Amino acid sequence: MGNRYVYVVLSQRARGLSIGVNLTPNKQCNFHCAYCEVDREAAAASGPIDLGVLEDELEGMLQQVRGRRLRELKRFWRAPADLLDLKEIALSGDGEPTLCPQFGAVVDTVLRCRAKQARSFKVVLITNTSGLDLTPVRRAVRRLGSDDEIWVKLDAGTEGYMRKVNAPDVTLAKVLRNILNIARQRPVVIQSLFPRLGREGPTPEEVEAYAQRLWQLKQDGAQIKLVQVYSAHRPPHLPHCSHLPLKQLSRIARRVREVAGLRAEVF
């Protein structure tokens, strides 16, 4: 739509229309996930986020959504009316949003835009958790409302499998620690993407370790409102990665329910 920071998408996990705010047009990320669709070798934007442009783009997008003008776009003209109701604004991007130096300022900009609207909507932070222990991020997260959500990534139960799937610059222990710290303060949604790498998905042992990690988080006081189990829906940058069959995803979700006693849904 010609924007630098703001985009719109029909999201499975949002169950409808989501307005995205790209906090990392520079593609900065400390995970290098096998299933990521972002080509980090291609040229990326540089320099700080222009908060004025971001605010203008967000307010313009909200006006389009409120005025039902998205149906004028070819990609949306046949969408059912209920899917064009705004479900959320997602703080996401081409990398890890909490690594954005202006994270707090972007949060404030989004909250200011929301305050001007006659009808409220939730804000969702989608994060790999690695920056949740940063002081500016913690302060900004505290400014989110009780109805806003934080979706935290957990794609593995063992360090070895996380290295294989996510190739992160942080350890599984840190990811789990950051999830626990934030989830003791407010409920979180766990987002877990299980890809097929070559011809293989996660082993039964890996699924069991993953379910046990969730059980331990819950035992330690983490408030987990939902576990989202899904696979690689978008074309990944790496060709050896593909979508895991529904039967296997359903099996993982069932094991989460059995072991951790958590609500789990397949997307």
Side-chain angles (χ1 to χ4, degrees):
M1 300 179 71
N3 288 342
R4 289 166 61 182
Y5 308 111
V6 177
Y7 57 96
V8 65
V9 64
L10 290 177
S11 167
Q12 288 179 312
R13 286 172 290 150
R15 293 184 171 87
L17 193 69
S18 173
I19 293 178
V21 178
N22 184 358
L23 279 77
T24 50
N26 60 0
K27 303 183 183 180
Q28 180 184 11
C29 196
N30 54 359
F31 278 44
H32 310 281
C33 300
Y35 54 76
C36 185
E37 73 273 17
V38 178
D39 181 1
R40 302 193 187 283
E41 297 177 1
S46 60
I49 290 177
D50 188 322
L51 296 170
V53 171
L54 189 154
E55 186 165 2
D56 288 344
E57 290 180 357
L58 183 53
E59 289 187 342
M61 187 71 76
L62 287 168
Q63 289 177 7
Q64 283 193 288
V65 171
R66 190 170 56 246
R68 294 286 180 176
R69 297 204 303 275
L70 285 183
R71 197 173 289 283
E72 299 170 6
L73 302 175
K74 185 177 181 180
R75 292 187 177 186
F76 293 99
W77 71 273
R78 301 177 79 174
D82 60 327
L83 288 185
L84 295 182
D85 289 332
L86 181 62
K87 303 298 184 183
E88 64 181 30
I89 288 185
L91 304 177
S92 186
D94 292 333
E96 169 51 32
T98 61
L99 298 182
C100 174
Q102 298 158 277
F103 180 82
V106 172
V107 169
D108 290 343
T109 298
V110 171
L111 295 181
R112 184 167 58 250
C113 287
R114 178 169 67 178
K116 298 177 184 178
Q117 304 299 307
R119 184 176 178 182
S120 189
F121 46 81
K122 69 180 178 182
V123 175
V124 175
L125 169 60
I126 302 175
T127 173
N128 67 22
T129 78
S130 61
L132 289 177
D133 57 344
L134 300 174
T135 298
V137 173
R138 294 205 321 267
R139 289 173 178 164
V141 165
R142 284 198 290 267
R143 297 197 287 274
L144 296 176
S146 58
D147 292 332
D148 298 327
E149 294 181 343
I150 301 178
W151 294 4
V152 294
K153 175 186 293 295
L154 181 64
D155 293 343
T158 65
E159 185 76 32
Y161 190 71
M162 188 175 78
R163 297 283 152 202
K164 182 178 180 180
V165 172
N166 301 129
D169 294 343
V170 298
T171 63
L172 177 59
K174 176 172 181 175
V175 168
L176 292 168
R177 184 168 60 250
N178 281 358
I179 291 175
L180 179 60
N181 287 339
I182 192 67
R184 280 174 169 169
Q185 300 170 31
R186 58 185 298 147
V188 300
V189 173
I190 302 283
Q191 50 167 1
S192 299
L193 193 156
F194 293 95
R196 180 162 58 181
L197 301 177
R199 296 183 178 182
E200 298 180 356
T203 65
E205 293 78 14
E206 180 60 35
V207 172
E208 190 66 23
Y210 161 77
Q212 290 291 339
R213 296 290 190 183
L214 292 173
W215 176 84
Q216 190 63 57
L217 284 169
K218 181 181 174 183
Q219 290 298 112
D220 291 341
Q223 305 169 75
I224 301 172
K225 60 191 300 186
L226 174 66
V227 179
Q228 299 172 337
V229 178
Y230 60 113
S231 194
H233 296 298
R234 298 171 184 169
H237 178 55
L238 299 178
H240 72 289
C241 179
S242 60
H243 193 281
L244 200 65
L246 177 60
K247 181 180 288 188
Q248 289 179 260
L249 293 173
S250 298
R251 195 176 297 136
I252 294 170
R254 183 170 66 247
R255 198 66 190 132
V256 169
R257 299 183 199 108
E258 293 169 348
V259 173
L262 294 170
R263 180 179 162 219
E265 295 184 6
V266 175
F267 293 85

